[in-house]
Structures are given as structure tokens and as C-alpha cells.
Amino acid sequence: MAPSGSIAADFLSGRPETVALFPSGPAYSQGSGTGEADPRIANTSRPARLSADAFRTTSEMAASRLPRILDGDGVFVSTGQQPLLFLGPLYVLYKACAAVRLARRIEAALGIPALALFWIAADDHDWNEVAMTRVVDRDGTVRKLALEPGTGMAGRSVGPAPLPAAVESVLDEFARLVGTSEFADAYLETLREGYAAGKTFSDAFSEVLGRVMEGAHLVLLDGASQEVRGAAAPLIRRVLESHAAVDTALAAGQESVEAAGYEPRLAYLAGAAPVFYDTGEARERLYVAGSTVRSGRRGGEGRLSAFLEQLQNDPGPFSPNVALRPVLESWLLPTAVSVLGPGEIDYWAQLGPLFSLLEVTPPVIAARDSWRVIEGRVDRVLERAGVGAEDLADGGHAAAARVVREARPERLQAALDEMRSEVTTGFGALEEISSDELPGARSAVGKAGAETQAAIARLQSKVDARVREHEKAAVVNVRRAAGSLFPKGIPQERVASPYPYLVRYGPPLLAALLSEQLSASSPGVETAAGGAVAGDPERE
């Protein structure tokens, strides 16, 4: 969920000044049911610049519709993410499910083929972000697992990199943390087969997400594949040849966001093309000045003509940066809608001038789902504490204090409150009298009053300590629930791996996330304010 006052929040609320920043106008409405499709997507269909061989499909229906869409008879609803270790956090799954549901609605409304597309952003070279995952255990403790880059792979694209042998021991630890259930064997076997040593990160991620989403009518595309690299070469050539105009467009995107009163998400770097080049040692940004190109800020220089010749003969080392990638996707494919997270929406506000310069029709933007999994045991804690899930965003401190407060012995607490009130009234009267009759004594009266109130506060603390000891289990449960919903104070969807939940609840959880009516989806899964509530397998 976008924070209040952010670009994403203001855009999604329809603030005119913010909407005006975006190349495609207002966000797509994701109301339930089929309804009428957004008229802006009606004429998006056009032939693609890729063949069906470049895609992985998750169902026979997706495989049959894909060629029609690529031939110009249909549209994609896209989303995507880097090829994160073991699928990354929950929101990756939420993105995929949101795109599937939205494609289903568009197809029903327009009567043309529509497919969800997951673009695997395999060019990312941030190993610290991509090659790690987190498991939130039942105590709310976050367990981080990570893979070190293989020899010579640090600073290079993660997607094409082979998984090192160490992935097997990391998988063993991951499986231990995930636990067992009737669904564990199937899901963990999928993971072990997908993330086998020697496979590339992209292939592993694509295989596992494809199998988890099997039957859900999704297609996956590796953004670093040979097919995509070759098809992207003409647009990247145009970007490099028109580098001065591209630089102006990128600067204009940043300036428009700043003029609207926001902090730009993407930093404009003068002379930096939105293109990366793999030198064989690292993935470096290309800086272009006239007919000269430099790899990285301090890299060696070369002639632009030489880079363009290599691009034509071997496009493999060239890849788009975060600003160019959305434009490239819509240039390659008939993308009607892009399902984005809050951070992505923020930086899309800067892309209008680049879409316009390169004459690419931008997709309509839809916000991804923002759910939380509230397991049965957590739901019971919330009910007993009389709080909602959002009340635990502070780590459960306020809710735990409420538990203690409400557990105080009524008569004892009433007596303490009465004493506190009487002290306040009594010493107030004494201060007033001393001011009139013995002014020099007022300071002593005030000090005595403060000491008396401090003594009452110490007594209150001792009472609360005894209550906390008595209510220790309830307080611990509240804090564990907070750790489940807001691990380390961060929304669950941005931290927790989906795998423990898939293992515990199986296909019904995924079916619920794909349902048009989540509240009536399946036994044990229902909607809550801002999130999905999954039942407790021990009770069901």
C-alpha cells in the first residue's frame, strides 16, 4: 500500500496534478466483476516483435491464446520482478495473481484475447537484493537466507548467472524453516527441481513461478533472454543514436516531478544513456557524449559507431535500465495494462517524455494487490486483544499495553486513579493557599506534590509489572502476531516468503488470491481490511 502523500498514493486517489505526470493518465480501476473495460485499452492490439518461443506458459489456454496476441489479436496485462531467490517476498505472487485476474476481466469485457505476462527483470545486478529470501517463522522471527555470487559474477546481471552449488545447502535450511504439511512435499520438490545447481537464476525463477501458477493462464518472459536481446536491439540503437534528445527527455521527467513537489524516484545523470553494457567484468551504465561512449563513470572510452556495430552483431551485452525497460516492453509487445507496485508507480511518473520521444504507446497503470496473510492463530490473538491488524504496525507495543491496561484489577486500579486525582486536587489547593499566605513555601509544596505523583507512578509500574507477568502469554502472543504481520516493522508482503504459506495452506490459498470474490473464495480464506485471512490448518 502506498504511503500517504507519495506519488503513488496521490496518483491512485486521482489528484489531477499528479495524474498529469503520467504518460497514460488515470489508473485502471480494479473493481470486482467484469464490467466495462477501460476505453484506453480498446485499440492497444498490434503485432508483437517477439515469437511464442520466447515465452513460458502455465496452461493450455495461455499457450493457445499467446500466438493470437503476438499476431496482433489481443493484449497483455503485464507485471514483473527480478528473478528473486525462491520467488522472493509475497508481493511477487500478489503481482502475478493481480495480472491474471485483470486479464480475465479485460477479455470478458472486450471479447479479445488477454493474457497476464510476467516480465522477469533478469538484468538486475544487485546480488544483495536478488539472491536472498526471508522466512518469517511462527514466532514472528525473520530468518534471512542468501547466496553469494559465483566467481566472476559480482556486479553482473543475476538472471543469466548459474546457481552455485551452495544453493543446495541454502535450500535444505529453507525447507527446514518452511516446515512440513500435507502440501510440503509437492511444493518443496518443485523448488528443488527448479533451483538446481547449474541452472540460471532466471530459469529457476521462471520454472518455479510457472509451476506454482500452473493452470492460472500466465505467460513468463525472461528479459535477458537471447530472443529479447535481439528484438530489443533496434530500440536500443535508436536510444544511443538519439542520446542528446533522450538525455533531454530524462531530465524533463525529473523536472516535472520536482515541479509537482515530489522527490524524484529516479536520479537523472547528465549524459548517462538509459542503457547498460556488460564489459565481461561488470554491468556498466553507458555515458554518451557526441560520438564517444564511456562504460561507467571511469571506464574506457570508445567510438559510438563501434558500439552500434557490436549491438548489431552481438546485442547480448546491451540491456535497458529501469527507465527504458517499461518503454522497451511496450515497444516489443501489445501491453494494455501494467500492474505496478507503489515504488514502480513513483518512478513511472518520470517516464512520460521518454515514451513520447520514442513514440511508444504507454500502457494503462493498475496498482498491484496489497494483501496480508492473517493465519488463524494470529486472527484469534487479534480477536482476544480487541485490535485490528493495522494496530500491530508498531510492533504490537500499543496492543500489548492495552492488554496490560485491561487486565489491571478493577478495584485496585480505581483506587490508584482516585488517589492520583486526589493528590492532584489536594496539592493544587495547597499551592494556591501557600501562594496567598506563605509564598516561600509554594516551591516545597510543588516538589512534594511531584514526589507523591512519582511514588504513585512507581506503584502503578509495579502493579503493571505483576499484571504483565500474569498476562505474559497474551503479551507474547500479541508481539508474535505483530512479527507475523509486520516483521521488523515492515508490511509482511514486502518481507515474508510465500513458500511457508503455500506449504501450510496449499492450492486453496492461491485459488483465493485468483478469485474475483476473495471473501467467498474457499473455506478458511477470506478478506480483511487490506488483506487475506487464511485459516489455521490445525483447526481445519
Side-chain angles (χ1 to χ4, degrees):
M1 188 171 294
S4 176
S6 68
I7 295 177
D10 289 346
F11 171 66
L12 296 174
S13 69
R15 182 173 181 262
E17 298 88 344
T18 310
V19 170
L21 297 172
F22 286 80
S24 59
Y28 187 96
S29 173
Q30 292 207 68
S32 62
T34 52
E36 295 185 1
D38 190 314
R40 291 172 292 168
I41 71 173
N43 299 315
T44 311
S45 297
R46 61 167 180 77
R49 292 180 168 90
L50 286 171
S51 72
D53 294 338
F55 299 80
R56 178 189 295 272
T57 61
T58 64
S59 70
E60 291 184 7
M61 192 208 81
S64 66
R65 277 169 169 67
L66 179 60
R68 291 180 58 189
I69 294 174
L70 296 176
D71 286 343
D73 182 21
V75 295
F76 287 114
V77 174
S78 75
T79 192
Q81 198 67 37
Q82 306 102 309
L84 302 172
L85 184 66
F86 307 156
L87 300 189
L90 276 162
Y91 72 78
V92 175
L93 194 59
Y94 297 163
K95 277 185 169 183
C97 290
V100 169
R101 290 201 323 276
L102 197 49
R104 193 162 56 206
R105 294 174 199 159
I106 290 172
E107 180 164 303
L110 292 181
I112 61 171
L115 272 179
L117 163 70
F118 197 102
W119 179 291
I120 301 171
D123 295 313
D124 197 308
H125 55 272
D126 186 348
W127 276 81
N128 290 334
E129 180 181 358
V130 175
M132 72 90 180
T133 191
R134 297 184 181 97
V135 175
V136 179
D137 66 21
R138 286 184 174 252
D139 290 335
T141 302
V142 179
R143 313 287 185 180
K144 179 181 175 180
L145 301 174
L147 273 176
E148 294 296 322
T151 302
M153 294 310 302
R156 302 183 68 187
S157 297
V158 176
L163 289 163
V167 72
E168 295 179 4
S169 60
V170 175
L171 253 172
D172 288 340
E173 178 63 8
F174 186 76
R176 186 189 69 78
L177 293 172
V178 164
T180 60
S181 77
E182 62 178 299
F183 306 111
D185 289 347
Y187 278 110
L188 291 174
E189 180 182 1
T190 292
L191 204 62
R192 290 189 183 280
E193 291 178 356
Y195 283 85
K199 286 189 177 180
T200 68
F201 260 88
S202 289
D203 285 345
F205 180 90
S206 177
E207 181 178 333
V208 172
L209 182 59
R211 289 181 63 179
V212 167
M213 297 289 293
E214 191 170 1
H217 313 321
L218 176 74
V219 298
L220 300 101
L221 180 65
D222 180 355
S225 68
Q226 183 178 351
E227 294 90 340
V228 172
R229 287 279 197 267
L235 184 68
I236 290 179
R237 181 184 188 91
R238 182 178 173 189
V239 167
L240 294 176
E241 289 177 331
S242 308
H243 57 87
V246 169
D247 192 77
T248 299
L250 294 173
Q254 174 165 308
E255 290 165 3
S256 65
V257 166
E258 290 175 331
Y262 298 106
E263 184 73 24
R265 184 81 172 196
L266 300 179
Y268 163 70
L269 299 174
V275 176
F276 277 91
Y277 177 77
D278 190 331
T279 66
E281 296 179 353
R283 183 173 179 250
E284 300 280 8
R285 187 82 172 262
L286 291 182
Y287 289 76
V288 188
S291 60
T292 302
V293 178
R294 187 174 72 253
S295 299
R297 290 182 179 274
R298 295 175 294 276
E301 292 186 350
R303 296 192 59 78
L304 175 59
S305 57
F307 276 87
L308 294 177
E309 182 178 353
Q310 182 182 2
L311 176 64
Q312 180 176 345
N313 297 327
D314 178 21
F318 297 85
S319 58
N321 85 327
V322 67
L324 183 59
R325 193 210 60 75
V327 182
L328 172 62
E329 180 190 302
S330 290
W331 184 79
L332 289 173
L333 302 167
T335 305
V337 183
S338 279
V339 176
L340 307 176
E344 292 166 321
I345 293 176
D346 282 353
Y347 77 71
W348 272 60
Q350 297 176 228
L351 302 186
L354 191 59
F355 270 102
S356 179
L357 174 68
L358 297 175
E359 301 174 298
V360 177
T361 301
V364 178
I365 292 173
R368 70 163 172 83
D369 291 334
S370 185
W371 301 106
R372 66 173 63 92
V373 181
I374 307 177
E375 300 184 81
R377 59 191 171 78
V378 174
D379 196 31
R380 292 191 290 277
V381 170
L382 297 177
E383 184 177 356
R384 289 167 187 161
V387 297
E390 288 294 336
D391 295 322
L392 302 186
D394 66 347
H397 298 298
R402 177 176 173 175
V403 167
V404 172
R405 188 168 58 250
E406 294 182 351
R408 290 168 177 165
E410 291 185 11
R411 290 176 58 197
L412 178 58
Q413 189 60 46
L416 281 169
D417 292 341
E418 183 179 358
M419 182 184 297
R420 191 179 289 112
S421 177
E422 289 176 351
V423 167
T424 299
T425 302
F427 275 94
L430 280 174
E431 284 193 73
E432 186 176 342
I433 293 170
S434 65
S435 294
D436 294 337
E437 300 185 8
L438 195 62
R442 179 170 182 170
S443 176
V445 171
K447 182 178 180 181
E451 289 174 348
T452 305
Q453 290 287 17
I456 296 172
R458 288 194 295 273
L459 179 57
Q460 181 74 74
S461 295
K462 290 180 179 179
V463 169
D464 286 350
R466 295 297 298 271
V467 172
R468 276 194 298 272
E469 185 64 28
H470 188 267
E471 297 295 322
K472 183 176 181 179
V475 170
V476 167
N477 285 338
V478 165
R479 289 178 176 160
R480 285 177 175 173
S484 173
L485 302 180
F486 294 93
K488 295 191 173 182
I490 303 171
Q492 175 198 71
E493 64 180 18
R494 300 198 61 81
V495 177
S497 166
Y499 244 79
Y501 305 105
L502 290 170
V503 163
R504 288 202 281 272
Y505 305 108
L509 176 59
L510 191 65
L513 295 171
L514 290 167
S515 172
E516 294 292 346
Q517 298 293 332
L518 190 56
S519 60
S521 57
S522 64
V525 185
E526 58 189 26
T527 55
V533 181
D536 189 335
E538 295 175 359
R539 298 182 64 188
E540 301 173 356

